[in-house]
């Protein structure tokens, strides 16, 4: 038994390391793309100076939610690493392993998506070998497969949740309709936490019931699991986002400096609302939000992108990646002025 758990803990350490390595690459890609987007000007109103790329709605939309998710994952992975290293007696390795599986899959998929977005956001410059985004993509692409294929890991996460479902959630009554359309309410942690919790619990209950029905009708349990795999992966994804939001919010609580705390809270709002927006079809289907509220969420994500935009370069500078390591001519910290492509 002891040997088995020692072996298992090496896998957990590997998954945390791969997730962190992936996130570092996402930070590099975002640093390059956001600095470039701040300096590169393209088009503009007649007889006026050209506009920096990062002032365009689409450019903000493409990069800033990725930046917010990168920050959220940074704090979630720091917390997981510390708990893994501490090997506390009051926390089972199972719980750490489940979280490592979920965060490894979530973080490495996030890296793949972010680097592609960063590459495109730099146009032709992003495709040049010396600007390194292609290399970062090539180096991290396999992270979604090794140390456990992401889809298979997410299926494991969902199976773990289902064993808890049997114990805890069988009789849960989910009445979660959130009807208010006050944008301040949307920005609050209470709304965001409740939405993520509701989604994870609702999916767990639904997929649990779907499995039970199949098994009750005589289906082999293996076939029943295969039949609902898409639902299981959706559940694990929802659980990952619930955990990441929790860890990010907890980390912000520990920050004393008011302006820093405020900047991080804005990123937390953008992380949460951009992912709720990405899954609005589910929230509407589950009647958790009304159509007017869905529209208000979309508008608030735009507002949050506008609020993060002036701080975007400072936020990537805070990753503190030395120019010598970033090694991308379009992404150096000191470089000033317009790019001509
Ligand atoms: C560069 C590299 C280095 C590696 N280094 C090591 C190493 O040092 N040590 C080591 O032990 N291993 C190593 N591996 C192996 C790695 O862990 C496996 O490649 C990985 O776990 C996926 O397994 P597989 O390649 O057999 O893919 P498969 O299991 O064949 O999966 C292929 C596809 O099928 C899907 N799939 C598989 N099973 C299911 C299922 N039940 N339900 C739904 N979909 C499913 C997967 O999501 C995936 O998309 C390495 C792999 C690579 C690419």
């Amino acid at each position: 038994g002891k040997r088995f758990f020692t072996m298992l803990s090496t896998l957990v350490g590997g998954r945390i390391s791969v997730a962190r390595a992936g996130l570092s690459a996402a930070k590099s890609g975002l640093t390059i793309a956001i600095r470039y987007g701040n300096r590169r000007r393209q088009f503009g109103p007649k007889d006026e100076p050209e506009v920096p790329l990062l002032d365009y709605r689409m450019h903000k939309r493409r990069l800033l939610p990725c930046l917010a998710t990168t920050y959220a994952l940074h704090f979630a992975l720091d917390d997981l690493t510390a708990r893994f290293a501490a090997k506390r007696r009051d926390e089972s390795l199972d719980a750490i392993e489940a979280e490592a599986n979920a965060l490894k899959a979530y973080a490495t998929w996030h890296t793949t998506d972010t680097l592609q977005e960063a590459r495109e956001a730099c146009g032709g410059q992003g495709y040049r070998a010396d600007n390194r985004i292609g290399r970062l993509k090539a180096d991290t692409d396999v992270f979604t497969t090794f140390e456990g294929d992401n889809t298979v890991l997410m299926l494991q996460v969902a199976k773990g949740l289902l064993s808890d479902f049997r114990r805890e959630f069988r009789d849960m009554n989910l009445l979660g309709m959130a009807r208010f359309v006050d944008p301040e309410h949307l920005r609050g942690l209470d709304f965001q936490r409740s939405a993520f919790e509701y989604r994870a619990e609702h999916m767990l209950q639904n997929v649990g019931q779907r499995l039970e029905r199949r098994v009750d009708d005589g289906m082999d349990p293996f076939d029943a699991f295969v039949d609902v795999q898409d639902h299981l992966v959706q559940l694990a994804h929802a659980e990952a986002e619930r955990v990441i939001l929790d860890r990010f919010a907890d980390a912000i609580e520990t920050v004393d400096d008011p302006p820093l705390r405020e900047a991080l809270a804005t990123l937390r709002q953008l992380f949460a609302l951009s992912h709720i927006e990405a899954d609005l079809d589910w929230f509407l289907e589950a009647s958790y939000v009304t159509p007017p509220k869905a529209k208000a969420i979309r508008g608030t994500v735009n507002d949050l992108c506008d609020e993060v935009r002036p701080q975007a370069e400072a936020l990537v500078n805070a990753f503190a990646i030395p120019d010598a390591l970033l090694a991308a001519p379009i992404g150096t910290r000191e470089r000033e002025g317009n790019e001509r492509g």
Side-chain angles (χ1 to χ4, degrees), residues 11 15 104 109 142-153 155 159 222 226 229 233:
L11 285 182
R15 282 172 193 163
K104 184 270 184 185
W109 271 329
V142 74
F143 289 7
T144 58
T145 298
F146 69 14
E147 291 293 329
D149 168 77
N150 280 2
T151 298
V152 174
L153 287 180
L155 289 169
K159 277 189 187 173
F222 178 85
V226 170
Q229 274 190 337
V233 171

Side-chain angles (χ1 to χ4, degrees), residues 278-296:
D279 210 8
L280 266 183
D281 53 353
W282 186 88
F283 284 103
L284 284 163
E285 204 178 294
S287 300
Y288 189 76
V289 299
T290 56
K293 185 152 192 155
K295 278 188 198 162

